[in-house]
Amino acid sequence: MPELPEVENVGRAIAAALIGRAVTGVKAPFSGVLGQSLRATRKALVGKQLADVHRHGKYLILNFTGEGGGEAHLMIHLRMTGQIFVMDGYVPDKHVHVSFDFDGVPVHYRDIRKFGRLVLVEDGRRPAALDHVGPDMLTVRWSEWHARAAHRAAPIKAVLLDQGVAAGLGNIYVDESLFLARVHPEARPRDLDDATLREVLKRAKQVLRLAIKHGGTTFMNFADFHGRPGNFRRKLRVYGRGGEDCRDCGGTLEKTVVGGRGTVFCPRCQS
DNA sequence: GAATACCTGAGC
DNA sequence: GCTCAGGTATTC
């Protein structure tokens, strides 16, 4: 499941491989993942070159510029199973829904569940589509996050997943952050003191940074650009380990549902 | 603020 | 053949 670290790595890979190259063609065997028609997408992108790649939370925005100064901005959200491949010899299968040609370099968008979207937007950094999305989790300041989160009565896990508070955490890294901060997923932010909340934010940023460094987590579907899995999975402390031993205290990790999501935590360490 | 729709593959 | 997984938009 791509969350902020996986999206960051995809964005970096796209930037490294494609900046300076122009879109020369777009095909879409399944155009349902496009926010606009294939025709409109072609019209906006063909002939323009990739100038930079911007990430906000789990959203990527590819910014294009044309010869005559025209611009286009393609916002990508991979949701659950979206992948982008730029590999020599890659043969698209039935899950590849859109393929771009960048001056002869093929770029494929693959998405088993078709949840992801590639949408043309009007702005390269803060399009209207992101109005309801909070600041990026990696860079949000304590004061800003505190103002948005500290009064909330919902379980802290739900608040961390709420992209309107701060954007980027998904189910994996929320469970990991709360374990590292030693906070119970059902604890309510308004009942927690500032030192504890500060610890949660600090640990969330720490786990995101570390996961970026390790190429992200491959659990079900994530693979980088070249088809390689991320290797953060072996660093996971709780996610996917329900019923197994806590790596800190040796107790048994518990699996429950919080805010409608599968949740793993250590009842002894996170009290 | 909670339930539902969107999808498909994996694992019973 | 059924259930589960889950990010987000939408709807109650």
Side-chain angles (χ1 to χ4, degrees), chain A residues 38-60:
Chain A
L38 174 58
R39 196 179 160 161
T41 305
R42 271 190 187 131
K43 191 177 171 193
L45 298 180
V46 171
K48 297 197 178 80
Q49 49 173 244
L50 185 64
D52 72 77
V53 177
H54 174 66
R55 182 191 57 74
H56 186 96
K58 303 171 200 172
Y59 295 87
L60 276 184

Side-chain angles (χ1 to χ4, degrees), chain A residues 136-194:
Chain A
D136 189 78
M137 183 58 86
L138 207 51
T139 52
V140 64
R141 299 175 64 120
W142 155 251
S143 58
E144 193 177 8
W145 186 74
H146 181 269
R148 291 165 170 269
H151 67 282
R152 297 279 299 262
I156 187 153
K157 166 148 184 173
V159 173
L160 289 172
L161 284 171
D162 184 347
Q163 304 295 298
V165 173
L169 291 178
N171 207 31
I172 297 175
Y173 297 115
V174 165
D175 280 8
E176 295 300 310
S177 301
L178 290 172
F179 176 81
L180 292 176
R182 302 176 75 88
V183 171
H184 194 289
E186 289 181 289
R188 298 174 188 278
R190 71 173 177 194
D191 298 335
L192 296 173
D193 59 31
D194 281 359

Side-chain angles (χ1 to χ4, degrees), chain A residues 1-270:
Chain A
M1 284 66 74
E3 303 180 27
L4 187 153
E6 292 75 32
V7 174
E8 173 69 21
N9 283 318
V10 169
R12 288 181 188 180
I14 290 174
L18 301 174
I19 281 178
R21 290 181 179 272
V23 177
T24 43
V26 187
K27 283 186 286 194
F30 175 74
S31 60
V33 296
L34 297 175
Q36 290 81 12
S37 67
L38 174 58
R39 196 179 160 161
T41 305
R42 271 190 187 131
K43 191 177 171 193
L45 298 180
V46 171
K48 297 197 178 80
Q49 49 173 244
L50 185 64
D52 72 77
V53 177
H54 174 66
R55 182 191 57 74
H56 186 96
K58 303 171 200 172
Y59 295 87
L60 276 184
I61 304 178
L62 275 52
N63 292 310
F64 295 87
T65 53
E67 296 283 313
E71 292 183 3
H73 315 281
L74 184 70
M75 186 170 78
I76 302 176
H77 197 302
L78 304 172
R79 294 281 188 104
M80 302 294 302
T81 54
Q83 298 172 299
I84 289 173
F85 289 111
V86 184
M87 296 161 61
D88 288 338
Y90 179 78
V91 181
D93 64 7
K94 65 174 179 174
H95 299 302
V96 170
H97 308 307
V98 184
S99 295
F100 300 89
D101 191 280
F102 278 77
D103 287 327
V105 176
V107 177
H108 305 286
Y109 178 74
R110 179 174 189 267
D111 191 345
I112 293 174
R113 292 192 190 159
K114 303 177 177 172
F115 278 10
R117 288 293 179 267
L118 294 79
V119 181
L120 293 166
V121 293
E122 81 292 348
D123 184 277
R125 293 194 81 79
R126 283 308 302 229
L130 296 186
D131 280 353
H132 63 289
V133 176
D136 189 78
M137 183 58 86
L138 207 51
T139 52
V140 64
R141 299 175 64 120
W142 155 251
S143 58
E144 193 177 8
W145 186 74
H146 181 269
R148 291 165 170 269
H151 67 282
R152 297 279 299 262
I156 187 153
K157 166 148 184 173
V159 173
L160 289 172
L161 284 171
D162 184 347
Q163 304 295 298
V165 173
L169 291 178
N171 207 31
I172 297 175
Y173 297 115
V174 165
D175 280 8
E176 295 300 310
S177 301
L178 290 172
F179 176 81
L180 292 176
R182 302 176 75 88
V183 171
H184 194 289
E186 289 181 289
R188 298 174 188 278
R190 71 173 177 194
D191 298 335
L192 296 173
D193 59 31
D194 281 359
T196 305
L197 289 171
R198 207 184 264 275
E199 179 72 4
V200 170
L201 181 61
K202 182 179 140 190
R203 295 299 188 167
K205 290 183 178 186
Q206 180 188 54
V207 77
L208 290 173
R209 270 190 242 105
L210 197 64
I212 290 170
K213 211 164 106 185
H214 289 271
T217 301
T218 296
F219 202 82
M220 300 288 282
N221 282 290
F222 179 73
D224 77 3
F225 228 55
H226 310 285
R228 292 180 303 227
N231 54 21
F232 192 69
R233 181 171 180 177
R234 53 199 168 79
K235 302 259 179 199
L236 297 177
R237 312 289 276 279
V238 287
Y239 184 85
R241 300 190 64 241
E244 296 178 32
D245 292 347
C246 172
R247 293 195 167 139
D248 276 10
C249 76
T252 304
L253 298 177
E254 202 169 299
K255 170 130 202 214
T256 58
V257 175
V258 179
R261 306 292 167 72
T263 299
V264 182
F265 70 104
C266 176
R268 220 190 296 181
C269 296
Q270 297 168 258

